[in-house]
Amino acid sequence: MDKRIASLAEAVADIPDGATVMIGGFGGSGAPIELIHALIDRFLATGSPKNLTVINNNAGNGHVGIAALIEQGMVAKMICSFPRSADPRVFTELYLAGKIALELVPQGTLAERIRAGGAGIPAFYTPTSYGTDLAKGKPVEEFDGRPYVQERWLKADVALIKAELGDSYGNLTYRMAARNFNPLMAMAAARTIAQVSHAVAPGGIEPEQVITPGIFVQGIVEVADPQQEEVLNRADAHYPEVQA
């Protein structure tokens, strides 16, 4: 039952080429920067994993986190709501060059597709996107006189998420706005790895405070004082560091 992982490198060691990876966060809030960077370190050392499909709310900012993952050429496709956010230069350049694919999903639909994946609901209907290019080729049904577009669930091979507290059973809590896509993604992936700011013993989290039950989590790795994407970008940080 002890789901603690000793290192970030060990936490991402089994992610294969071609995997679909959900990465938590809403902008920088709840983004598992250290897990993402550990995945980049593995790629630079071994050439794997590559050809990833990444599901996130955006396509990265600056040159850290998801943007750095894309910049290394590890990502074949992004599924997201906001490919152009604060500083999306990496994704934009590769997309315009035809080197990365994009599936654009409205934010509420993205959240519900992930939730459906975790709940075992293969499809649902929403009025969002009806009559737009995003609905082309999708089944449409009428309910109470209004057209609705069918959307399919989203599931992943791996979810990389960030939590505040995690016990050795994998139970998690989140800090403030970090409780965004992270709990949904934990439920929708075959394997969920959480970086936690504080690892505690069983009983260290009051049962009524648990947000993600340990049944949805396969591993936790402690990362004290985690980095924040916005702080790194204000400092014009690059990962890996640019050598002078």
Side-chain angles (χ1 to χ4, degrees), residues 9 12-17 37-49:
V12 302
D14 296 330
I15 299 175
D17 290 352
H37 289 175
L39 200 59
I40 293 171
D41 291 343
R42 181 185 154 204
F43 174 77
L44 293 174
T46 68
S48 182

Side-chain angles (χ1 to χ4, degrees), residues 15 23 26 48 51 69 72 96 132 175 186-187 202 216 223 227 234 236 240 242 244:
I15 299 175
I23 300 179
F26 187 84
S48 182
N51 297 323
L69 200 72
Q72 293 300 320
L96 293 175
T132 72
R175 182 179 182 274
M187 297 174 63
F216 297 115
V223 179
Q227 298 179 91
R234 283 196 292 270
D236 195 27
V242 177

Side-chain angles (χ1 to χ4, degrees), residues 140-213:
V140 174
E141 296 287 346
E142 187 175 293
F143 298 93
D144 296 330
R146 186 178 186 185
Y148 287 74
V149 178
Q150 185 190 96
E151 294 285 356
R152 296 294 306 275
W153 59 8
L154 276 174
K155 297 190 288 185
D157 302 300
V158 180
L160 302 179
I161 66 173
K162 179 181 179 182
E164 179 70 4
L165 297 179
D167 67 20
S168 58
Y169 293 153
N171 298 306
L172 304 177
T173 72
Y174 302 90
R175 182 179 182 274
M176 301 174 72
R179 184 179 170 180
N180 43 59
F181 283 94
N182 284 303
L184 298 178
M185 290 179 171
M187 297 174 63
R191 179 174 174 79
T192 294
I193 304 299
Q195 68 168 70
V196 302
S197 298
H198 307 282
V200 298
I205 303 174
E206 292 294 330
E208 65 271 20
Q209 299 298 318
V210 172
I211 305 302
T212 296

Side-chain angles (χ1 to χ4, degrees), residues 86-110:
D87 183 12
R89 71 186 84 170
V90 172
F91 173 82
T92 299
E93 290 173 2
L94 290 176
Y95 181 74
L96 293 175
K99 295 181 179 180
I100 189 169
L102 169 67
E103 181 178 341
L104 188 64
V105 185
Q107 184 172 275
T109 302
L110 179 67

Side-chain angles (χ1 to χ4, degrees), residues 126-140 147-149 151:
T126 173
T128 304
S129 83
Y130 175 74
T132 72
D133 286 347
L134 298 184
K136 285 184 176 179
K138 297 178 180 178
V140 174
Y148 287 74
V149 178
E151 294 285 356

